[in-house]
Amino acid sequence: MPRSRESREEACRVKGSLSRNHSDAKTLAASSGDGGGGGQRPRRGVGACVRDVFRRQAPERGRPESPLRRIMDTVPEMPSTDAHSSDIVAERYLVESKKSTAHVPLACSTQYCAFPLDGNHLCVWSPRDPSHQLLTLQGHHQLITAVAFGNQIDPHQLCSASQDCIIMWNVDSCREKTLKGVTPRGTVLGSLLQTVLCLRFSPDDRAVAVCAGNKISVMDVEKQSVLVELQGHQGSVTAVEFCPWQAHILISVSEDRTFKVWDYCVGSSIYNSSILTAYPLLSLLIREENRQLVTGSADGQLWIFSLMESHHYHCVAHVDLRKKSGTFSTRRMLARQCSLPEDSQYHSTPEVDKREEAEATFPVLSLAHCDLCLPDNQNGAFSFECTKCLWIGSSTALFVFNPASIELEAALHFKEFQSLSVQVAGSCAVMSEAMSPKALCMLSSMFGNKIAVLDVSLAALLSSQRSPGAGRALSVLPSSCVLPTSPLYSGVVKESLPKPANSKRHAVRSVMEDRPLVFHSKIRSSGYTSAPHGTMFSPKTNIKHINKRTSKCKNSHKCKEFSLEHCLPRNLSRQVAVAQEPVAVSCLQYSGDGQRLACGLANHLSLVFDASLSGRPAAFSGHDGAVSTVCWSHDKRWLLSTGRDRTLRVWSVHRTELMLLLGPESFSKPITSAQFYYMDAFMLLSSGPELWLLKYHIDLCRDDMRRYKPKSRHKPVFRLPLTSGADVTTLSAVNDFYSHIVLTAGRDRAVEVFDLNVGRSAAVIAEVHSRPAHQVCQNKGSSFAAQQSLAYNLFLTTAVGDGVRLWDLRTLRCVRCFEGHPHRCYPCGVAFSPCGRLVGCGAEDRHAYVYEMGSSSFLYRLAGHTDTVTEVAFNPAAPQLATATLDGKLQLFVAE
């Protein structure tokens, strides 16, 4: 019934009093905070775990007198310390209950929000038309413990459960009856005489799964009967979901810390997972577009499993929300510092909020789909206009989580918005429509009796937390010429300039050499030894062009475009042992034409094989320690290698001779990584915390009398230290074309981007991995496969125990994470395919994994290895993949 004007004014006055005294109202009282007041029964195990996290955080002040229950349709705007807080989140609805709301069930749909009031009254509120009267449904005699909306809009069904019965409601029909003055009644499906913790409709709303204790009952909505009962969990079932693409599959999670996959048509279990964590699993969500399962626990852990048939429920990712939240806060702090003027960056110190230390975990109370729509200039190179993300509802915060990159896109901490009536939530429900910039969030007070409905603006939340974008102008492809002040200008531009006409030439003593009278390599025969021609002037049809390769030779090493269906290297073609005794292969790289494969060994040798791994390899010996790096020059004439003996050597591939040696005296610290750079014009290396750029000259004159006197030389051109001063673990730069960008990874777990055209650091990506990255791999492409120009801005980083991450240089953001391979102890290598659509990586389970760029789950894995796969390399000219193992074997995989 509509309220009178006096009652509405009184409600507004009470609401204002509650808002002003909100900090005093958030207490832990025995009558309401513990969930025991008024006969409320909290969830056994789950409620205790969540309450224990926040019990020590509750204020010690006394609770003020609670007024009578008030229902308020409008909420006055509250003052806030942040001027833009009302643009991010607004409290649209607030209600107080006579009973504790610590763990009351909440439900949201596209049209309605449902919640229990005073224990056994079910209330339905419409966020689309708040002027509508609150719909109160009565039928339960005990506390309502579970609420769920159906998936269909017409009719819009709502199911509620208590210990006495389970009732099905038609929301639209109930609202029409209420407007006519008739008391709405629901349909009683049955009674299980147990506490129901979860309800879930099937995709067609013809069945509903009821979770009571450790039993799941699938009930027919029309026949009002139990179809099947599923038993197997050792604890209470907390969440259940129907599989959208397999109508007979049901997935459940429980307080026994496992998830199970059921075939409820047969009534049997298909898969039983192992124990995932030490705390109960609380939430569950199925991502249909990626066929993945997402579940969260009471201690803030998140797991993503693949539901593809060939993956056997493989774990794709494991996330700790507390660590992710800390990493997200650190990056926001660094972004704010970078946006400050240069003179204030050194004087400003980050303020640390001591209250963050008291927050132990972020229990995952709810999971929901979220469409994250971003402009093209802020998105990754391989991201769509709308990124599929997740809403994660926790007790003190609301997160936007990107399952592709395994990163947080935004975080809304309730304590940062003082206008919110619920600062610590016991229950949470989130809903956002497809392609909608807003979301609805329902919260129930953990230490009170309030239920609030929040309107969250996703666009405003992202804009308030998005980094200033210092790196959006960065690109691997150069956009300008080399500056005269650039370190790259020395030696490169000068050699390309034409010499003046009046330049004097130095006098050179002419030396007469012994030369044959005829200078041709082949002399045409006069024909006196051949048989006479039977037919004169007959045309020759079998002419062979010496300077052109045959079509057979062309096709053997040319691939116009790698097709994911027909050019996947899956079949093991050859396996070769690099030495008689087991020796680790530390590095692997193909030449630019795909004809040869170089590898560095732990026995001080570098070997160069034919691309087919046939024949006897060429050996390069000279290092006194394990070879850590091998690198081909762009013209395929030179091979660069570095070792643990702190030396750098440049070899002639044709002569198998040492041409240039940089000894330990040249550098104060060991060389961690080295390569040719800028189309072989420079050598780029890292030593300690510094990046070195060297100009070199290799003398081709072969004088056997003076071989002891080396004529090749090098000259340091430029040195640049990391901003943090940490040692460099690895570096990467493009040598196949001119590029000014150099990527480095340091011991501080950060990746720093250097622009050598201006000679300084361009950007820093903090907290790239939980451990220092041991490899940075760029998408360098190939002359045998075409790619989009923006694809060259993608690069990979990998660290022990933290998977592989794909980054976009333009946005300095992680766009995808690959964690489906075991990688816990030994540093395993990664590589891009020539087409730029595949990622290969080694693993410790004696397999090599191949990922597709558009999915975090592996595409397939390669067996046949006898030890840990340490290195992988794609052939740039053919659909071939070479792998190396820790016991010194090379494997070649080819397409079918």
Side-chain angles (χ1 to χ4, degrees):
M1 296 293 293
R3 296 176 297 167
S4 61
R5 178 180 179 182
E6 291 78 11
S7 63
R8 290 196 298 269
E9 293 177 355
E10 182 182 1
C12 293
R13 289 194 299 270
V14 174
K15 175 63 177 67
S17 176
L18 286 175
S19 301
R20 288 190 296 271
N21 300 324
H22 172 67
S23 59
D24 297 332
K26 187 177 60 178
T27 60
L28 181 61
S31 61
S32 59
D34 288 337
Q40 175 94 4
R41 289 186 58 190
R43 297 182 181 180
R44 184 176 180 270
V46 178
C49 292
V50 178
R51 282 199 307 274
D52 290 343
V53 175
F54 299 97
R55 188 181 298 275
R56 63 178 178 271
Q57 301 178 19
E60 299 295 335
R61 292 173 290 182
R63 175 186 174 93
E65 296 184 1
S66 176
L68 299 176
R69 173 175 57 88
R70 305 291 179 181
I71 299 177
M72 287 144 286
D73 294 331
T74 58
V75 179
E77 187 175 355
M78 301 296 172
S80 175
T81 56
D82 188 0
H84 301 284
S85 62
S86 60
D87 299 334
I88 299 175
V89 58
E91 196 170 90
R92 293 190 58 187
Y93 191 80
L94 181 66
V95 64
E96 283 197 42
S97 175
K98 292 180 180 179
K99 307 293 183 180
S100 171
T101 60
H103 300 290
V104 297
L106 306 174
C108 289
S109 69
T110 57
Q111 297 181 359
Y112 299 103
C113 296
F115 53 89
L117 193 65
D118 299 339
N120 58 357
H121 293 172
L122 182 61
C123 295
V124 180
W125 179 72
S126 175
R128 291 189 174 184
D129 196 352
S131 61
H132 284 179
Q133 181 182 359
L134 184 70
L135 178 62
T136 303
L137 305 177
Q138 299 182 7
H140 292 280
H141 300 285
Q142 296 189 19
L143 297 180
I144 299 175
T145 57
V147 180
F149 279 103
N151 299 307
Q152 305 297 324
I153 299 178
D154 188 18
H156 210 116
Q157 293 183 337
L158 173 65
C159 185
S160 60
S162 61
Q163 194 169 0
D164 55 347
C165 62
I166 302 172
I167 303 178
M168 186 72 61
W169 311 86
N170 189 328
V171 179
D172 298 330
S173 177
C174 292
R175 182 172 293 279
E176 292 178 0
K177 291 181 180 180
T178 303
L179 295 177
K180 295 178 181 180
V182 180
T183 302
R185 298 295 181 183
T187 303
V188 179
L189 294 183
S191 176
L192 300 178
L193 299 179
Q194 284 183 323
T195 302
V196 178
L197 296 183
C198 179
L199 294 170
R200 189 67 64 211
F201 279 89
S202 62
D204 55 1
D205 289 352
R206 294 182 179 180
V208 60
V210 182
C211 305
N214 61 352
K215 181 176 60 177
I216 304 173
S217 300
V218 181
M219 306 185 68
D220 193 309
V221 176
E222 295 181 0
K223 298 180 180 180
Q224 304 172 15
S225 61
V226 178
L227 297 176
V228 65
E229 289 186 355
L230 306 174
Q231 293 184 356
H233 281 290
Q234 302 299 320
S236 299
V237 180
T238 56
V240 66
E241 288 285 348
F242 286 88
C243 184
W245 62 91
Q246 290 179 316
H248 61 284
I249 297 298
L250 187 72
I251 304 176
S252 61
V253 297
S254 169
E255 291 182 3
D256 61 3
R257 301 157 292 167
T258 66
F259 74 89
K260 296 182 182 296
V261 183
W262 311 84
D263 187 342
Y264 70 91
C265 293
V266 181
S268 62
S269 174
I270 299 177
Y271 177 79
N272 301 325
S273 74
S274 59
I275 296 178
L276 302 180
T277 178
Y279 288 81
L281 299 177
L282 304 182
S283 54
L284 177 65
L285 183 71
I286 295 180
R287 304 181 66 229
E288 183 177 3
E289 63 275 2
N290 297 94
R291 299 199 172 186
Q292 292 177 346
L293 161 71
V294 185
T295 180
S297 63
D299 61 340
Q301 305 293 318
L302 201 72
W303 286 267
I304 302 178
F305 293 90
S306 176
L307 296 181
M308 295 183 180
E309 296 181 359
S310 60
H311 289 176
H312 306 288
Y313 305 98
H314 189 79
C315 181
V316 176
H318 175 211
V319 180
D320 189 341
L321 279 182
R322 182 180 59 85
K323 294 181 179 179
K324 288 296 180 181
S325 178
T327 302
F328 183 76
S329 301
T330 301
R331 290 178 180 173
R332 287 183 57 191
M333 179 187 65
L334 293 177
R336 286 195 297 266
Q337 289 182 349
C338 293
S339 62
L340 295 175
E342 295 184 0
D343 54 350
S344 61
Q345 291 182 10
Y346 301 97
H347 302 287
S348 62
T349 57
E351 297 180 0
V352 180
D353 193 354
K354 299 299 181 181
R355 293 177 295 177
E356 292 284 349
E357 299 177 357
E359 295 182 357
T361 56
F362 295 99
V364 183
L365 301 179
S366 64
L367 295 169
H369 297 282
C370 173
D371 291 338
L372 186 63
C373 300
L374 297 173
D376 293 339
N377 58 352
Q378 295 180 357
N379 223 340
F382 280 87
S383 298
F384 301 97
E385 295 181 359
C386 189
T387 305
K388 299 294 183 180
C389 294
L390 299 179
W391 286 106
I392 301 179
S394 185
S395 296
T396 58
L398 187 65
F399 300 102
V400 178
F401 178 73
N402 191 340
S405 61
I406 318 296
E407 295 289 345
L408 293 179
E409 298 290 345
L412 192 153
H413 295 273
F414 302 144
K415 66 180 181 180
E416 297 179 357
F417 301 88
Q418 299 298 326
S419 60
L420 300 182
S421 300
V422 178
Q423 298 285 316
V424 180
S427 299
C428 177
V430 189
M431 189 281 303
S432 62
E433 297 185 31
M435 307 295 291
S436 175
K438 291 184 177 295
L440 280 179
C441 177
M442 293 186 65
L443 302 175
S444 66
S445 178
M446 181 74 174
F447 307 116
N449 55 354
K450 297 179 182 179
I451 298 176
V453 179
L454 309 181
D455 193 353
V456 182
S457 175
L458 183 58
L461 179 63
L462 292 173
S463 62
S464 65
Q465 299 182 355
R466 185 71 60 182
S467 61
R472 290 176 187 167
L474 295 177
S475 176
V476 172
L477 300 176
S479 58
S480 61
C481 299
V482 179
L483 300 176
T485 57
S486 171
L488 303 177
Y489 190 82
S490 61
V492 178
V493 179
K494 292 180 180 180
E495 291 179 0
S496 62
L497 292 177
K499 295 183 179 181
N502 56 354
S503 60
K504 296 182 180 180
R505 296 183 179 181
H506 297 283
V508 180
R509 185 180 60 181
S510 61
V511 179
M512 183 64 67
E513 298 181 1
D514 295 334
R515 293 184 179 181
L517 186 61
V518 181
F519 295 95
H520 301 287
S521 59
K522 293 185 179 181
I523 304 175
R524 187 175 181 180
S525 174
S526 59
Y528 63 88
T529 60
S530 60
H533 295 284
T535 304
M536 301 299 294
F537 306 105
S538 61
K540 295 181 179 181
T541 58
N542 58 347
I543 300 177
K544 294 183 179 180
H545 298 278
I546 300 176
N547 59 343
K548 295 184 180 181
R549 291 193 289 178
T550 61
S551 60
K552 181 178 180 181
C553 184
K554 284 183 180 180
N555 296 332
S556 62
H557 289 281
K558 185 174 181 180
C559 183
K560 295 181 180 179
E561 188 158 343
F562 283 70
S563 174
L564 296 183
E565 293 81 10
H566 305 288
C567 290
L568 293 177
R570 292 175 178 266
N571 300 331
L572 180 60
S573 173
R574 187 181 294 271
Q575 188 176 47
V576 178
V578 297
Q580 296 181 354
E581 298 180 356
V583 58
V585 180
S586 55
C587 46
L588 198 67
Q589 190 181 45
Y590 273 101
S591 60
D593 56 0
Q595 300 283 350
R596 286 168 290 187
L597 177 67
C599 61
L601 309 181
N603 62 356
H604 313 170
L605 290 178
S606 298
L607 301 180
V608 175
F609 288 84
D610 184 76
S612 60
L613 299 184
S614 60
R616 185 181 180 89
F620 300 83
S621 61
H623 284 286
D624 293 332
V627 179
S628 56
T629 304
V630 291
C631 178
W632 288 92
S633 63
H634 179 69
D635 55 10
K636 282 81 68 177
R637 299 170 61 191
W638 319 112
L639 184 68
L640 182 148
S641 65
T642 62
R644 298 296 177 86
D645 56 353
R646 300 177 59 179
T647 63
L648 184 149
R649 299 170 186 264
V650 179
W651 310 85
S652 172
V653 179
H654 178 68
R655 300 179 183 178
T656 322
E657 294 181 359
L658 179 65
M659 306 301 295
L660 179 63
L661 172 64
L662 280 70
E665 67 279 356
S666 302
F667 309 98
S668 58
K669 291 187 177 183
I671 301 174
T672 56
S673 185
Q675 68 167 77
F676 290 101
Y677 176 58
Y678 216 68
M679 300 284 287
D680 297 342
F682 300 95
M683 287 191 300
L684 190 67
L685 59 91
S686 59
S687 175
E690 291 183 324
L691 184 71
W692 290 62
L693 186 68
L694 283 77
K695 185 71 177 174
Y696 67 97
H697 170 72
I698 297 178
D699 186 23
L700 301 179
C701 181
R702 189 170 184 177
D703 190 353
D704 294 336
M705 300 299 296
R706 298 182 179 181
R707 294 183 62 181
Y708 66 92
K709 186 177 181 180
K711 296 183 179 180
S712 300
R713 59 187 183 273
H714 69 278
K715 174 184 178 183
V717 176
F718 189 68
R719 294 170 58 181
L720 194 63
L722 295 186
T723 304
S724 62
D727 288 347
V728 180
T729 58
T730 182
L731 62 84
S732 177
V734 177
N735 188 44
D736 296 334
F737 53 86
Y738 292 111
S739 176
H740 307 151
I741 298 298
V742 177
L743 305 177
T744 61
R747 293 286 179 186
D748 57 348
R749 299 176 297 166
V751 168
E752 189 161 1
V753 184
F754 291 94
D755 187 354
L756 293 190
N757 192 25
V758 295
R760 60 181 177 84
S761 174
V764 177
I765 309 176
E767 303 289 337
V768 173
H769 289 279
S770 59
R771 296 181 181 180
H774 62 262
Q775 184 180 357
V776 177
C777 178
Q778 290 181 266
N779 182 19
K780 301 177 182 179
S782 170
S783 58
F784 300 89
Q787 294 190 36
Q788 297 180 359
S789 59
L790 297 179
Y792 292 100
N793 294 314
L794 298 176
F795 65 94
L796 297 168
T797 61
T798 179
V800 176
D802 202 20
V804 179
R805 297 180 183 272
L806 177 66
W807 301 82
D808 192 342
L809 182 64
R810 298 175 302 154
T811 59
L812 302 178
R813 294 175 61 245
C814 178
V815 295
R816 191 162 296 279
C817 184
F818 309 102
E819 293 186 354
H821 56 284
H823 184 203
R824 303 180 183 91
C825 302
Y826 197 86
C828 300
V830 296
F832 272 105
S833 66
C835 60
R837 290 180 287 176
L838 299 178
V839 173
C841 63
E844 297 173 352
D845 61 349
R846 301 182 180 183
H847 287 81
Y849 286 74
V850 177
Y851 293 88
E852 191 178 355
M853 299 286 286
S855 175
S856 298
S857 301
F858 65 89
L859 184 63
Y860 63 92
R861 59 181 188 172
L862 301 171
H865 304 88
T866 56
D867 207 339
T868 299
V869 181
T870 58
E871 292 292 332
V872 294
F874 282 94
N875 191 321
Q880 298 177 357
L881 175 65
T883 61
T885 55
L886 197 59
D887 59 352
K889 293 182 180 179
L890 298 180
Q891 290 75 212
L892 180 64
F893 295 88
V894 298
E896 297 179 356

